[in-house]
């Protein structure tokens, strides 16, 4: 009979740890795949490519962006959630990753359990905008009108469960007002009817709306973030415009499959943080309306779980469903 002595167990554990450390120090030894759950050319795809190029330069291996669009980012996220946890398959996560668990109760993966956070990359404000001819020159005027005539003010969105829908429902619940939802099949037709003054207002990404505001085609009432946006510092926040505590942002961040070794997560986090610090990368993100924002894996994990809880409350309170 062979006895497995404590000394032998200790030596085996030490050898295993040494082997794992040596392996992770060699990482990466081949190209890394960065999955984006949206089509090429969109904001998430562009942000991914900007950061991927710099990370690849720093790590000495290409970071190849792979587009897997469909189901509000679920298809791409599912690919990463089920990939080997070895640091060679990553996900460019967006706000949809925190909303989808509430909108899609029968998802094929659990993003909270099956993915692990690496770092946030950037955050993007939404703008609350109206047609210049609408009788709401300020957020206060809008809130006063909504409280005087509940449900009389219409708002356009890109469809049920879209960012424009969720942000406006969060506004309604936070401010204690009732607005009437007018869903469209996409952001473009929704914006067209606001521009044509068929619908009073909408919430949309600052990169889409700010040029229209500057051209005088839209009136900006407020930004969605707690702090004013660097790309539009003259526009007040909702928090300072009569909706205390309002803070909502679209965001980009990197995730890996759950179970990825912590030293690999730490290495990736370091490279993301340094890449986003690069002046060229930061400038290009700001051009997208995305404010560079990084931090530790633990901070991003906490933020992400908070986002899941926040949007679950909004979805349930508003009774939002997707087909």
């Amino acid at each position: 009979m062979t006895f497995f002595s404590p000394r032998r167990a200790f030596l085996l554990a030490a050898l295993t740890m040494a082997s794992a450390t040596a392996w992770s120090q060699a990482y990466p030894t081949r190209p890394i795949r960065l999955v984006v759950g949206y089509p090429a050319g969109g904001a998430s795809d562009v942000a991914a490519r900007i950061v991927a190029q710099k990370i690849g330069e720093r790590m000495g291996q290409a970071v190849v962006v792979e587009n897997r669009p469909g189901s509000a980012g679920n298809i791409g996220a599912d690919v990463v959630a089920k990939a080997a946890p070895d640091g060679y398959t990553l996900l460019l996560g967006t706000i949809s990753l925190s909303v989808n668990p509430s909108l899609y109760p029968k998802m094929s993966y659990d993003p909270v359990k099956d993915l692990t956070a690496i770092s946030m990359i950037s955050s993007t404000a939404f703008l609350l905008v109206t047609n210049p001819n609408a009788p709401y020159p300020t957020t206060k005027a809008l809130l006063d009108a909504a409280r005087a005539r509940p449900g009389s003010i219409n708002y356009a969105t890109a469809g049920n469960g879209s960012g424009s829908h969720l942000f406006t429902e969060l506004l309604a619940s936070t401010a204690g007002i009732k607005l009437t939802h007018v869903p469209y099949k996409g952001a473009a037709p929704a914006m067209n009817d606001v521009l044509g003054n068929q619908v009073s207002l909408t919430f949309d990404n600052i990169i889409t709306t700010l040029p229209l505001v500057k051209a005088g085609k839209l009136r900006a009432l407020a930004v969605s973030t707690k702090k004013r946006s660097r790309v539009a510092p003259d526009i007040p926040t909702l928090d300072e415009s009569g909706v205390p505590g309002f803070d909502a942002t679209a965001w980009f961040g990197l995730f890996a499959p759950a179970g990825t070794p912590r030293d690999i997560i730490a290495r990736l986090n370091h490279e993301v943080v340094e890449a986003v610090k690069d002046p060229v990368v930061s400038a290009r993100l700001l051009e997208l309306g995305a404010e560079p924002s990084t931090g530790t894996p633990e901070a991003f994990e906490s933020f992400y779980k908070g986002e899941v809880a926040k949007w679950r409350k909004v979805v349930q309170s508003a009774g939002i469903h997707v087909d």
Side-chain angles (χ1 to χ4, degrees), residues 197-247:
N197 206 23
Q198 278 80 43
V199 184
S200 297
L201 70 149
T202 191
F203 237 136
D204 207 347
N205 193 300
I206 195 169
I207 194 62
T208 304
T209 50
L210 191 57
L212 296 170
V213 170
K214 290 181 176 179
K217 296 180 179 180
L218 290 175
R219 175 191 292 137
L221 299 184
V223 295
S224 64
T225 45
K226 193 70 174 289
K227 296 181 179 180
R228 293 196 182 198
S229 171
R230 276 200 283 168
V231 300
D234 295 333
I235 301 175
T237 68
L238 279 166
D239 179 71
E240 61 185 304
S241 301
V243 192
F246 192 95
D247 185 20

Side-chain angles (χ1 to χ4, degrees), residues 98 112 115-120 251 255 262 295-310:
S98 56
V112 175
L115 296 170
T116 188
I118 297 171
S119 176
M120 187 182 286
W251 49 267
F255 292 82
R262 297 310 299 176
T296 65
E298 293 76 18
F300 187 33
E301 187 86 23
S302 177
F303 167 82
Y304 172 63
K305 289 180 178 178
E307 286 283 281
V308 172
K310 176 171 72 178

Side-chain angles (χ1 to χ4, degrees), residues 14 22 26 31 37 55 71 87 89-90 93 115 134 148 150 160 168 208 217 236 263 275 279 293:
I55 294 173
S71 188
T89 302
L90 309 177
L115 296 170
N160 287 333
T168 312
T208 304
K217 296 180 179 180
D263 47 357
S293 178

